[in-house]
């Protein structure tokens, strides 16, 4: 009898808990990745029809039966986003995992590595779009004052580092609100002044003709500029910068590798031996590994094949120098792919956090998974400078998590965040809204990823050749050890 009473009580409690609205079922509705757009049916996936609001990033996603549309929002505005690239991904290759109330979105199709090579973006289901949402044409009817307000609200709600950059949005609004003029050129110039004041090279304002206003100064650039002012042979500063890069690239090919190196991945990788025991891999960029027109998945597949050949070349090498001294960034997926060739076990690199409502929301973890083929697990020295930025800095965070890797050189630039894109009428703007946090709770935005071993790479007394001399000094250090 006691057992029967317990059973009846359990049934009643179960029924009551169901009526209370509490979720007693597993959160995951569909654990497998599904496409957002069903190309064979020329329609969106019916599982996600409706409106979704992003956690961080300031987006609404409207899933209609025939297409996925992207909107941006701030506290005062909701507007159709003019972003053909993102909407193109949403309507072609993006995939998702559906939770009971959350959509985990992966923008790029990397096959079985889709979850591994990118951070997901989370959306929650909402009833509808805000009633005050406006379209493309209506955005350009907004006054300069309204568009500038929209720009400042996007910064205030999405820019992640106002404290570190010593920024006060209200002060900036009051400073510039009366100098907007009435034409687009004045608005562009004023937004550009704000972007430049952030001293953040990922925060930009881009005009329809491609003209970009942003902060461009780096310590190395200032050193090159200073040396330029002390000579008279070259009178154009841009030409002097071009010669600086061209000479250093030539030094890698002709002096360090003695013309015996090999190039791969559309010329973005160059590798060879500096001595019998020390190998060298110069990563010029984390993008452009194939000609235009290929998908990112095809680029990753090609890169993996190239990296397998490169690692095989170094199978008898005792140590390796990887050089990102001149790397301006690219895609995290390519950085993760390369990092995977230097570990035999999965290794946690960092957490990706997105700025949201004045705090940080943890959107995903970044783990380095070993390549399926071979790995180089002997000592690796990653050479960094302040030219190393963006995905090159993410790569530095990945590599420093590996036990056999040491960073050497100078700290990186300090622009690790991805670039959140927002249209302001016909203008396109970007913002740093992401924080990468390592296992010790540290992040390196603004400060830059520090080296384990400090070495000055670019010296003003020999600005064109000090890089190669630094590499040779590192070789001597390695062989002495």
């Amino acid at each position: 009898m006691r057992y029967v009473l317990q059973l009846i009580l359990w049934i009643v409690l179960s029924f009551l808990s169901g009526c209370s609205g509490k979720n007693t079922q597993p959160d995951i509705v569909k654990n497998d990745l599904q496409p957002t757009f069903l190309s064979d049916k020329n329609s969106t996936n019916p599982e996600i029809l409706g409106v979704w609001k992003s956690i961080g990033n300031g987006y609404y996603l409207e899933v209609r039966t025939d297409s996925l549309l992207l909107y941006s929002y701030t506290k005062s505005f909701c507007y159709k986003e003019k972003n053909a690239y993102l909407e193109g991904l949403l309507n072609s290759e993006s995939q998702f995992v559906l939770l009971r109330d959350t959509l985990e979105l992966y923008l790029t199709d990397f096959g079985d590595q889709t979850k591994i090579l990118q951070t997901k973006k989370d959306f929650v289901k909402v009833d509808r779009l805000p009633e005050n949402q406006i379209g493309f044409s209506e955005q350009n009817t907004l006054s300069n004052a309204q568009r500038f307000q929209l720009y400042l609200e996007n910064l205030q709600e999405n820019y992640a580092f106002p404290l570190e950059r010593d920024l006060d949005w209200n002060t900036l609004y009051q400073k510039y609100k009366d100098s907007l003029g009435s034409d687009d050129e004045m608005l562009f110039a004023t937004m550009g002044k704000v972007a430049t004041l952030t001293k953040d090279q990922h925060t930009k304002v881009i005009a329809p003709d491609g003209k970009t206003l942003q902060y461009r100064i780096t310590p190395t650039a200032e050193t090159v500029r200073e040396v330029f002012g002390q000579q008279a042979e070259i009178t154009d500063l841009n030409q002097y910068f071009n010669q600086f890069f061209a000479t250093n690239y030539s030094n890698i090919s002709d002096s360090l590798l003695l013309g015996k190196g090999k190039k791969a991945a559309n010329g973005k990788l160059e590798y060879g031996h500096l001595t019998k025991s020390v190998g060298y891999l110069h990563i010029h960029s984390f993008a452009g590994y194939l000609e235009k027109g290929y998908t990112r998945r095809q680029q990753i597949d090609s890169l993996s094949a190239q990296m397998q050949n490169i690692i095989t070349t170094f199978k008898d090498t005792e140590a390796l120098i990887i050089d990102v001294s001149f790397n301006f960034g690219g895609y995290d997926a390519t950085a993760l792919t390369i990092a995977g060739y230097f570990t035999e076990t999965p290794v946690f690199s960092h957490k990706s956090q997105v700025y949201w409502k004045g705090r940080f929301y943890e959107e995903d973890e970044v783990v380095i998974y070993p390549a399926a083929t071979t790995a180089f697990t002997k000592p690796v020295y990653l050479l960094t400078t302040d030219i190393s930025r963006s995905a090159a800095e993410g790569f530095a965070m990945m590599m420093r998590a590996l036990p056999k890797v040491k960073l050497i050189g100078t700290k990186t630039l300090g622009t690790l965040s991805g670039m959140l894109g927002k249209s302001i009428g016909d203008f396109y703007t970007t913002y740093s809204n992401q924080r990468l946090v390592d296992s010790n709770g540290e992040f390196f935005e603004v400060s830059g990823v520090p080296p384990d071993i400090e070495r000055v790479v670019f010296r003003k007394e020999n600005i064109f050749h000090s890089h190669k001399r630094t590499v040779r000094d590192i070789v001597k250090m390695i062989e002495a050890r």
Side-chain angles (χ1 to χ4, degrees):
M1 182 67 179
R2 182 178 180 183
Y3 171 77
V4 172
L5 289 174
Q6 287 179 330
L7 180 61
I8 293 171
L9 179 62
W10 179 84
I11 293 171
V12 170
L13 288 174
S14 298
F15 176 77
L16 289 175
S17 66
C19 291
S20 70
K22 292 182 179 179
N23 177 19
T24 59
Q25 299 298 319
D27 284 338
I28 295 178
V29 177
K30 297 283 187 179
N31 194 29
D32 295 333
L33 283 169
Q34 299 183 73
T36 56
F37 192 84
L38 306 175
S39 56
D40 58 331
K41 297 181 179 179
N42 197 31
S43 66
T44 58
N45 196 314
E47 296 279 355
I48 56 172
L49 286 173
V51 179
W52 303 81
K53 186 177 183 179
S54 66
I55 301 177
N57 301 304
Y59 289 132
Y60 280 105
L61 180 63
E62 183 184 19
V63 184
R64 299 179 178 180
T65 55
D66 61 341
S67 62
L68 295 95
L69 302 178
L70 193 66
Y71 298 78
S72 280
Y73 71 87
T74 67
K75 64 181 180 181
S76 304
F77 300 90
C78 177
Y79 58 100
K80 181 69 184 65
E81 186 56 64
K82 189 177 181 181
N83 195 322
Y85 175 72
L86 280 181
E87 284 198 343
L89 290 177
L90 290 168
N91 287 280
S92 60
E93 59 177 279
S94 63
Q95 298 175 68
F96 68 90
V97 171
L98 184 61
L99 306 178
R100 186 160 300 278
D101 61 350
T102 305
L103 183 72
E104 295 184 343
L105 191 64
Y106 297 86
L107 282 170
T108 305
D109 177 13
F110 290 116
D112 58 3
Q113 298 187 86
T114 292
K115 290 185 178 181
I116 294 173
L117 294 180
Q118 63 192 309
T119 55
K120 63 180 174 63
K121 306 300 176 186
D122 289 342
F123 291 74
V124 293
K125 191 73 176 288
V126 295
D127 292 335
R128 64 182 69 85
L129 288 170
E131 293 181 0
N132 66 340
Q133 63 91 10
I134 59 177
F136 288 139
S137 58
E138 294 170 286
Q139 291 176 50
N140 285 321
T141 65
L142 298 175
S143 67
N144 277 6
Q146 289 173 310
R147 286 186 287 173
F148 187 63
Q149 178 189 352
L150 173 57
Y151 178 57
L152 265 295
E153 286 185 6
N154 268 312
L155 280 164
Q156 187 171 16
E157 296 176 27
N158 295 296
Y159 188 79
F161 307 101
L163 294 178
E164 290 81 2
R165 298 284 187 189
D166 193 25
L167 299 166
D168 184 280
W169 308 122
N170 291 327
T171 299
L172 289 173
Y173 178 76
Q174 294 300 324
K175 180 178 180 179
Y176 291 112
K177 67 182 179 66
D178 296 325
S179 60
L180 295 169
S182 58
D183 58 29
D184 283 358
E185 195 63 35
M186 287 291 292
L187 175 63
F188 177 60
T190 305
M191 290 194 297
K193 288 177 182 178
V194 175
T196 302
L197 284 173
T198 66
K199 296 184 178 180
D200 179 347
Q201 298 201 19
H202 274 175
T203 298
K204 309 175 183 180
V205 181
I206 305 170
D209 63 2
K211 183 180 179 182
T212 302
L213 298 178
Q214 65 177 110
Y215 186 77
R216 299 182 184 274
I217 297 173
T218 67
T220 293
E222 291 302 282
T223 300
V224 174
R225 188 190 303 270
E226 182 180 345
V227 176
F228 166 76
Q230 297 170 354
Q231 57 85 53
E233 183 179 349
I234 299 176
T235 58
D236 181 78
L237 179 58
N238 288 331
Q239 183 182 346
Y240 197 77
F241 273 114
N242 289 338
Q243 184 170 331
F244 165 75
F245 284 106
T247 302
N248 277 286
Y249 295 152
S250 177
N251 287 341
I252 291 172
S253 301
D254 301 332
S255 297
L256 292 176
L257 296 177
L258 300 174
K260 299 179 181 179
K262 296 181 180 179
K263 292 187 178 183
N266 201 26
K268 305 305 181 184
L269 305 179
E270 187 170 11
Y271 63 100
H273 284 84
L274 300 171
T275 67
K276 288 183 179 180
S277 60
V278 181
Y280 177 83
L281 171 60
H282 174 224
I283 305 177
H284 177 78
S285 173
F286 286 107
Y289 292 149
L290 289 173
E291 299 293 340
K292 290 183 178 180
Y294 290 92
T295 66
R296 289 194 187 180
R297 179 176 178 179
Q298 290 171 319
Q299 298 217 22
I300 292 298
D301 290 343
S302 174
L303 172 62
S304 296
Q306 300 284 356
M307 281 300 301
Q308 183 176 346
N309 292 334
I310 291 170
I311 297 301
T312 301
T313 298
F314 295 132
K315 67 180 187 302
D316 298 322
T317 304
E318 295 302 317
L320 179 64
I321 297 172
I322 301 178
D323 193 348
V324 292
S325 295
F326 304 97
N327 194 306
F328 285 77
Y331 304 124
D332 292 336
T334 53
L336 265 171
T337 299
I338 294 175
Y341 283 87
F342 299 95
T343 181
E344 293 179 319
T345 59
V347 176
F348 170 81
S349 174
H350 56 270
K351 297 177 182 178
S352 174
Q353 300 176 335
V354 63
Y355 191 67
W356 182 52
K357 296 183 178 179
R359 59 187 179 87
F360 286 92
Y361 170 77
E362 189 172 308
E363 59 182 0
D364 217 342
E365 291 188 349
V366 176
V367 176
I368 307 160
Y369 287 92
T373 51
T374 185
F376 186 94
T377 55
K378 298 173 186 177
V380 173
Y381 296 85
L382 179 66
L383 182 57
T384 63
T385 69
D386 63 271
I387 294 176
S388 312
R389 66 193 68 177
S390 192
E393 301 182 85
F395 181 69
M397 285 194 73
M398 297 168 198
M399 295 297 285
R400 76 195 295 268
L402 303 179
K404 291 294 184 71
V405 177
K406 293 290 185 184
L407 270 60
I408 189 167
T410 57
K411 65 181 181 180
T412 62
L413 184 60
T415 54
L416 292 86
S417 172
M419 289 188 287
L420 174 67
K422 298 284 182 178
S423 58
I424 307 291
D426 286 333
F427 299 111
Y428 188 71
T429 60
T430 63
Y431 313 83
S432 294
N433 75 322
Q434 179 191 38
R435 188 171 72 176
L436 308 184
V437 182
D438 69 9
S439 57
N440 296 319
E442 291 186 275
F443 65 93
F444 303 105
E445 194 78 24
V446 183
S447 65
V449 182
D452 299 300
I453 305 168
E454 291 190 8
R455 288 284 190 279
V456 178
V457 180
F458 302 115
R459 300 179 183 273
K460 65 176 66 176
E461 61 268 21
N462 195 359
I463 196 69
F464 286 90
H465 300 285
S466 58
H467 169 266
K468 72 178 179 183
R469 293 185 179 182
T470 300
V471 173
R472 286 172 176 163
D473 287 343
I474 296 172
V475 172
K476 292 178 182 178
M477 179 199 74
I478 293 171
E479 293 189 327
R481 292 184 175 186

